[in-house]
Amino acid sequence: MKIVGIDEAGKGPVIGPMCIGGVRIDKSKSNAFKNLGVADSKKLSPKKREHLAGQIKKYADDYFVFEVSPGQIDELRKLMSMNDIMVLGFGNVIEKLRGDEIYVDAADVKEERFGKRLLDNYMKEHPDAAAPKIVSKHGADDLFPVVSAASIVAKVRRDELIEDLKKEIGIDFGSGYPSDPKTKKFLQDWYGEHGSLPDIVRHSWKTAQNIVGK
């Protein structure tokens, strides 16, 4: 019996990609994650996350991180809502990892609806396959160690990509979240100097549009 945990990192930032992480493990071994002390990635220090990510990858049967760039998010948002994008992204991870039971951190206000959409999409693609059990819950990264593990793998990957972007442009723009003063200042300064925002920014975000609008 294979179980899969899925969670995202970077749904809300105005800068950088969104990463959707998935981890698969045999259900009989899933206590290994609990014993490692995995928790919701947001509650762990970056150093602790990195250490745990290495351990998780050792114990997992398989893992996968689906990356969605700022440009892809902007293009998709012309056609669909952020929730629809989440369904597509989580669907990609389900497709890649395949499991008998799939635990996901619900990315919709209605957790059951999110799970049902994931299952419907999967069965549309695989009408003859046995339907996996999908458990979709808010706060799944606190409830299920396999989702905590996925949360950590996703967050560590996003952090790596953010550090790469900072080196690439030669500026520390902070966390990339709209609430971060460092991020806001970077966007304002960059727009003031160049008259446009760089490709690392999600142009469809209100924060970005407000700066351009001014």
Side-chain angles (χ1 to χ4, degrees), residues 122-196:
Y122 183 80
M123 295 316 294
K124 208 183 288 173
E125 294 295 319
H126 307 280
D128 302 324
K133 176 186 174 186
I134 296 184
V135 178
S136 172
K137 292 277 179 198
H138 294 135
D141 43 4
D142 273 335
L143 298 169
F144 310 110
V146 72
V147 181
S148 305
S151 163
I152 288 165
V153 168
K155 184 81 174 86
V156 166
R157 180 61 185 144
R158 179 175 147 86
D159 286 350
E160 284 171 2
L161 293 169
I162 288 296
E163 287 312 307
D164 288 347
L165 291 176
K166 287 177 185 177
K167 282 180 196 146
E168 211 176 281
I169 62 167
I171 301 169
D172 178 1
F173 51 72
S175 65
Y177 279 82
S179 57
D180 185 342
K182 208 173 196 180
T183 300
K184 259 191 185 154
K185 186 178 184 316
F186 161 77
L187 294 172
Q188 287 161 348
D189 291 351
W190 186 283
Y191 189 77
E193 194 179 326
H194 299 89
S196 62

Side-chain angles (χ1 to χ4, degrees), residues 11-75:
K11 181 184 179 184
V14 63
I15 296 178
M18 175 170 70
C19 293
I20 300 169
V23 171
R24 186 178 69 210
I25 194 168
D26 203 273
K27 195 170 189 176
S28 63
K29 295 180 194 163
S30 61
N31 261 351
F33 290 152
K34 200 174 185 178
N35 296 339
L36 285 174
V38 299
D40 174 5
S41 65
K42 292 183 280 298
K43 295 175 182 170
L44 301 167
S45 70
K47 206 168 185 180
K48 179 75 171 161
R49 276 198 299 265
E50 275 178 44
H51 171 72
L52 282 172
Q55 295 296 306
I56 289 160
K57 289 168 184 177
K58 259 190 237 171
Y59 283 101
D61 289 341
D62 202 2
Y63 66 91
F64 175 61
V65 180
F66 182 68
E67 298 167 15
V68 194
S69 72
Q72 287 170 323
I73 290 170
D74 288 338
E75 284 306 307

